[in-house]
Amino acid sequence: MPSDSLAAAVGQRFDVLAQVRDTFAPPLAPKEIGTVTHVAAGVARVSGLPGVAFEEVLAFPGGLTGIAFNVDEDEIGVVLLGDYWPLRAGDRVTRLGHVVDVPVGDALIGRLIDPTGRVLDGGPPLLTDARLPVERPAAHIMDRAPVTVPLQTGIKVIDALIPIGRGQRELILGDRQSGKTAIAVDTILNQRGKNVLCVYCAIGQRAAGVAKVVAMLREHEAMAYTVAVVTEGNDAPGLSYIAPYAATSIAEHFMAQGRDVLVVYDDLTHHARAYRELSLLLRRPPGREAFPGDIFYIHSRLLERATHLREDLGGGSLTALPIIETEAQDISAYIPTNLISITDGQIYLSPTLFELGVLPAVDVGMSVSRVGGKAQRAAYRAVAGDLKLAYAQFEELESFTRFGARLDEDTVRMIDHGRRIRACLKQPDGAPIPMPAQIAVLLALSDGLFDAVPLSDMAAAEAAVRAVALALPDALCARLDAADTLSDADRADIVARAREALAGFVATAAPGAGG
């Protein structure tokens, strides 16, 4: 009967299951369970877990994670990576067996994430096949190559006088609301079509400020080659602490593929304050300005990861633009001096120039690039030296005019020329200028073509020169981009076009209208 055969089959299966059950011996493995003994603002103290390693990730109730930061004999100081308000003393803690890491890969391009890889833009979850630790050793010295390729910012005063190379670390510093983020964002906007990926890292910023930056990047279609790693001011200080390291690991993944990457840290002042807060709560000894003694080390091991790799290692590069906020123009404070000594130059933004309407408010005298000049294009080098000297002389002489001093004709001529240099170097936010247009304006300045233009017409005259430069032949633009020197013929061609564009402005200049 079919029912008999079915019963026999079921019986056989149950006999097999019974045999498996009798022979199964569950493996016994020790599992460490810790207990929360104390919770503070962003940190916790945990007892137990004798085998925990430094910077290992620990799991708390509710999906909260933390990093083992202080590994003492009796307890562990843990930096929490998330909302710690529900955490209570007595909660159980387990080890996850790995250090804190972040997802990497092309799936991150165009996305807005936090330092742990959690999506913040409302889009679908990230689908990546690789993760990298946020803390990684920097490339060895022998794996590095010289900086030879410029990173064009699209900002005339920087590309001409304070050039940046791919693989360089250039510090941007200045007082609050002086235009630091604007320079970094313009640099990201200018990388469109230049095969440079960008990582914008907002550390402890206001949500409104971050939203404004992301909106500008989307408006200019820059998110197509940008990853935004964001922590806001009300986030846990542990997230602000790991944010720049996570952003650097994301960038290093692309660099290892042979690609050029730009990382903006906005800003490391908030990062240092977050680390100070964590260290004081974990009872680490305070030092100068209450910062822990290793504050220099945490920034140096971050910025040392910016480099240009050898060709046999892919030839990729990682350029870092850290931002630092000064107080009352004091660049000799603890954190600014630390960062100045670590980086390869600095761009200083002067509040005085900002108040005068000189934007970007770059103080050329206090700014320097110690590497980028080696990578600067020949067309810039042909004019940069004379331009910087003339501008520096003008800034020194300008102070005398405030006292009504009687000046000779040569001094008046230098001041008039310097005012036109300042007018030409002005540039609005969100409007990076292509290289040929910059070179045309700088050559016209160097040759004194603007000296006969009234100051009131300088903005229109400079725009006319830029418009003419956009019509330069492709062959000439290619030579400007690749040639080792600026030929006399190319220079004469550009100057002639600029003089023709300025003819109408010079004709309207009234006698004595130079100042």
Side-chain angles (χ1 to χ4, degrees):
M1 296 292 294
S3 59
D4 295 338
S5 61
L6 177 61
V10 172
Q12 288 180 343
R13 293 294 180 264
F14 275 110
D15 292 341
V16 172
L17 290 176
Q19 293 177 6
V20 172
R21 181 196 60 192
D22 294 338
T23 57
F24 174 72
L28 298 178
K31 184 177 182 181
E32 297 182 13
I33 302 293
T35 304
V36 175
T37 60
H38 176 76
V39 181
V43 301
R45 297 184 184 277
V46 176
S47 63
L49 305 180
V52 72
F54 177 63
E55 291 192 345
E56 183 177 346
V57 180
L58 306 179
F60 294 83
L64 177 65
T65 57
I67 310 174
F69 220 56
N70 280 8
V71 183
D72 299 326
E73 183 177 359
D74 299 325
E75 63 179 7
I76 305 161
V78 182
V79 172
L80 302 174
L81 303 178
D83 186 4
Y84 48 84
W85 297 111
L87 199 61
R88 296 288 183 270
D91 287 343
R92 299 177 66 183
V93 187
T94 58
R95 297 173 54 190
L96 294 184
H98 63 82
V99 297
V100 61
D101 54 14
V102 64
V104 296
D106 290 347
L108 274 67
I109 298 176
R111 303 303 301 273
L112 190 70
I113 64 172
D114 76 355
T116 63
R118 185 168 58 92
V119 173
L120 301 177
D121 55 13
L126 294 174
L127 298 177
T128 61
D129 54 3
R131 300 181 70 93
L132 288 179
V134 298
E135 288 267 21
R136 305 178 69 214
H140 299 294
I141 294 296
M142 299 305 295
D143 293 338
R144 305 183 182 215
V147 174
T148 56
V149 180
L151 181 90
Q152 295 292 128
T153 65
I155 302 171
K156 289 173 290 186
V157 64
I158 295 178
D159 289 340
L161 306 180
I162 318 156
I164 302 172
R166 297 187 184 183
Q168 185 174 346
R169 302 157 297 183
E170 185 77 5
L171 179 66
I172 303 173
L173 74 163
D175 282 8
R176 184 174 179 269
Q177 297 295 321
S178 57
K180 303 182 296 297
T181 300
I183 285 181
V185 171
D186 284 356
T187 304
I188 293 176
L189 299 182
N190 195 57
Q191 304 314 309
R192 184 177 180 183
K194 293 181 172 60
N195 197 29
V196 177
L197 293 174
C198 303
V199 180
Y200 175 73
C201 179
I203 308 169
Q205 298 291 324
R206 292 182 300 112
V210 175
K212 182 180 178 180
V213 170
V214 174
M216 179 175 286
L217 294 177
R218 285 179 174 155
E219 179 184 352
H220 292 81
E221 300 180 357
M223 286 301 291
Y225 53 84
T226 303
V227 181
V229 181
V230 174
T231 62
E232 299 176 0
N234 58 351
D235 286 338
L239 287 175
S240 295
Y241 168 68
I242 68 170
Y245 299 103
T248 308
S249 291
I250 293 171
E252 283 180 328
H253 172 76
F254 296 124
M255 179 180 68
Q257 297 175 343
R259 304 164 85 169
D260 294 315
V261 192
L262 168 67
V263 181
V264 174
Y265 306 111
D266 188 12
D267 62 36
L268 291 185
T269 304
H270 288 96
H271 181 248
R273 290 170 181 166
Y275 184 65
R276 174 173 63 183
E277 178 182 352
L278 294 172
S279 298
L280 293 176
L281 288 169
L282 292 172
R283 300 186 181 277
R284 292 188 174 185
R288 178 177 168 185
E289 298 181 19
F291 287 103
D294 61 343
I295 188 70
F296 179 89
Y297 174 62
I298 73 162
H299 284 155
S300 65
R301 74 172 185 255
L302 169 69
L303 294 172
E304 279 297 321
R305 294 163 70 177
T307 186
H308 177 209
L309 296 177
R310 297 197 323 252
E311 287 299 326
D312 58 326
L313 296 175
S317 68
L318 198 164
T319 309
L321 291 182
I323 297 175
I324 278 290
E325 180 182 302
T326 57
E327 296 179 353
Q329 306 180 48
D330 183 13
I331 65 172
S332 62
Y334 188 31
I335 301 301
T337 51
N338 280 350
L339 270 296
I340 288 172
S341 65
I342 296 169
T343 50
D344 307 314
Q346 69 271 353
I347 299 170
Y348 177 68
L349 302 182
S350 167
T352 304
L353 293 176
F354 187 87
E355 292 165 0
L356 292 174
V358 180
L359 301 177
V362 176
D363 188 323
V364 176
M366 296 182 66
S367 302
V368 67
S369 177
R370 304 185 186 97
V371 178
K374 300 292 184 180
Q376 194 176 30
R377 288 184 169 89
Y380 285 103
R381 289 198 299 269
V383 298
D386 295 339
L387 197 65
K388 192 164 188 175
L389 178 61
Y391 193 51
Q393 289 175 333
F394 156 69
E395 289 185 322
E396 290 292 329
L397 293 170
E398 187 183 30
S399 59
F400 288 99
T401 64
R402 299 170 185 168
F403 303 104
R406 302 181 64 178
L407 307 173
D408 59 82
E409 291 184 5
D410 289 340
T411 302
V412 171
R413 192 179 303 111
M414 291 174 63
I415 292 175
D416 287 344
H417 182 56
R419 286 173 176 160
R420 281 152 180 79
I421 294 176
R422 174 178 287 173
C424 277
L425 294 181
K426 289 182 180 180
Q427 188 172 331
D429 295 345
I433 298 175
M435 180 198 63
Q438 290 192 38
I439 290 174
V441 171
L442 296 173
L443 285 176
L445 266 177
S446 181
D447 280 32
L449 301 186
F450 286 103
D451 290 352
V453 178
L455 276 175
S456 59
D457 294 338
M458 278 299 299
E462 189 258 351
V465 173
R466 286 195 280 113
V468 168
L470 295 178
L472 291 175
D474 293 340
L476 175 55
C477 293
R479 289 196 297 274
L480 292 177
D481 192 32
D484 293 334
T485 57
L486 177 64
S487 67
D488 294 338
D490 288 343
R491 179 172 186 142
D493 186 2
I494 296 173
V495 170
R497 293 170 184 265
R499 181 177 285 110
E500 182 179 350
L502 294 174
F505 297 95
V506 174
T508 61

